[in-house]
Amino acid sequence: MDLVALLSDPQAWAAFVTLVLLEIVLGIDNLVFIAILSNKLPAHQQARARRIGLALALVLRLGLLSLIGWIVTLQAPLFDLGLAGAPGAHGEPTFETAFSGRDLILVAGGLFLLWKATKEIHHTLDPEPSGELLDQKGHGEKGGLGQAVVANFGATIAQIIALDLVFSIDSILTAVGMTDQVPIMIAAVITTVSLMMLAADPLAKFIEHNPTLVMLALAFLVMIGLVLLADGFGVHIPKGYIYAAMGFSVFVELLNIAGRRRRTATRQAS
């Protein structure tokens, strides 16, 4: 189908809008991760790190779309350990160990996310400096403050790229399931990442100004890591449950923030 026919096809527009909405929902995880990592950098580098991280996400997704035939093959099993869970409600095994390329990427991404989120939680709770590579003060044993800041920025971008790859693979496979028209996928990816770029700075500043949200966001990342790990083992947890739980938690925390601000304003007035 040529471009003019696509632009005049209502089904193509419906697929585009649906895909953008799905990509935005799937991109929330990536956006939260980028916000938490970038907020640990010096203030003058935070916005730059977010822009570079999201630009790399766009490049990765467009690059993967150009390899769409290879991406689809990632769903074919590479090896099978011969283990499977009891049949579920619909007869499918509750888990399986027939690993495809996609499964291995999800398992690796889930483990990385669990490791990183746990490390960040420990760093947040530990009152003493722990020598964390992404420590905001950036002191190092060699090279002074300047070299430490450069290392911090590079480490942040490297970690963003690693998770971008995981989320990009999942995003592209979702797009393939929605439509077989590559132009629609490209338009949806560009639109989604553009919207994420607009939302990145406000989200990061909101998290920075409300420290209790940092722990909540890290808890989300732990949960997302577990979901990726489970998905890699064939345990498919409905994403609606995950995002409903996240939305409810954010709603409760927003009520807590509003309550704290009201109490603070009352004390200052009196």
Side-chain angles (χ1 to χ4, degrees):
M1 187 180 294
D2 59 30
L3 185 59
V4 175
L6 277 177
L7 291 175
S8 60
D9 185 3
Q11 291 185 352
W13 282 102
F16 168 75
V17 172
T18 304
L19 191 53
V20 167
L21 293 176
L22 283 175
E23 294 290 335
I24 289 174
V25 172
L26 292 173
I28 290 173
D29 314 339
N30 203 359
L31 203 55
V32 169
F33 183 78
I34 291 175
I36 291 176
L37 283 185
S38 63
N39 280 351
K40 297 180 70 64
L41 289 170
H44 68 281
Q45 291 187 333
Q46 292 176 6
R48 182 182 169 210
R50 289 190 286 270
R51 287 195 296 270
I52 291 177
L54 288 169
L56 289 172
L58 177 59
V59 171
L60 269 175
R61 294 181 189 194
L62 293 178
L64 291 172
L65 280 173
S66 68
L67 301 172
I68 195 72
W70 173 75
I71 293 296
V72 172
T73 65
L74 288 178
Q75 301 182 83
L78 298 176
F79 61 90
D80 190 349
L81 299 181
L83 301 175
H90 301 287
E92 76 285 356
T94 50
F95 75 91
E96 58 185 357
T97 55
F99 292 100
S100 64
R102 172 184 177 272
D103 294 332
L104 294 178
I105 292 172
L106 290 179
V107 168
L111 290 174
F112 174 75
L113 205 52
L114 286 173
W115 169 77
K116 184 59 188 174
T118 302
K119 196 173 182 68
E120 291 296 328
I121 289 173
H122 179 269
H123 187 265
T124 301
L125 295 176
D126 188 1
E128 298 296 329
S130 61
E132 168 74 26
L133 181 62
L134 293 177
D135 184 46
Q136 192 163 340
K137 293 183 180 178
H139 296 293
E141 294 180 359
K142 298 180 181 180
L145 181 60
Q147 289 187 5
V149 168
V150 172
N152 287 348
F153 186 82
T156 300
I157 296 300
Q159 292 177 81
I160 289 173
I161 291 173
L163 257 295
D164 275 348
L165 178 61
V166 177
F167 289 123
S168 294
I169 292 287
D170 215 24
S171 169
I172 296 306
L173 288 175
T174 300
V176 171
M178 287 294 303
T179 179
D180 57 357
Q181 296 293 334
V182 175
I184 294 178
M185 299 181 200
I186 293 175
V189 166
I190 293 175
T191 302
T192 301
V193 176
S194 299
L195 292 173
M196 289 170 66
M197 284 185 175
L198 292 176
D201 287 347
L203 175 64
K205 289 177 182 178
F206 187 69
I207 290 176
E208 184 179 10
H209 294 156
N210 297 277
T212 55
L213 282 176
V214 174
M215 190 60 68
L216 184 62
L218 289 172
F220 287 163
L221 293 180
V222 170
M223 180 172 63
I224 293 163
L226 289 172
V227 170
L228 291 177
L229 197 59
D231 202 0
F233 279 89
V235 181
H236 304 296
I237 302 172
K239 296 292 178 62
Y241 295 155
I242 303 300
Y243 292 117
M246 290 172 62
F248 180 75
S249 299
V250 170
F251 175 71
V252 171
E253 184 58 30
L254 290 176
L255 291 178
N256 287 331
I257 291 172
R260 285 195 297 271
R261 288 180 177 176
R262 179 170 296 182
R263 288 192 295 272
T264 301
T266 301
R267 285 195 298 269
Q268 291 176 348
S270 60

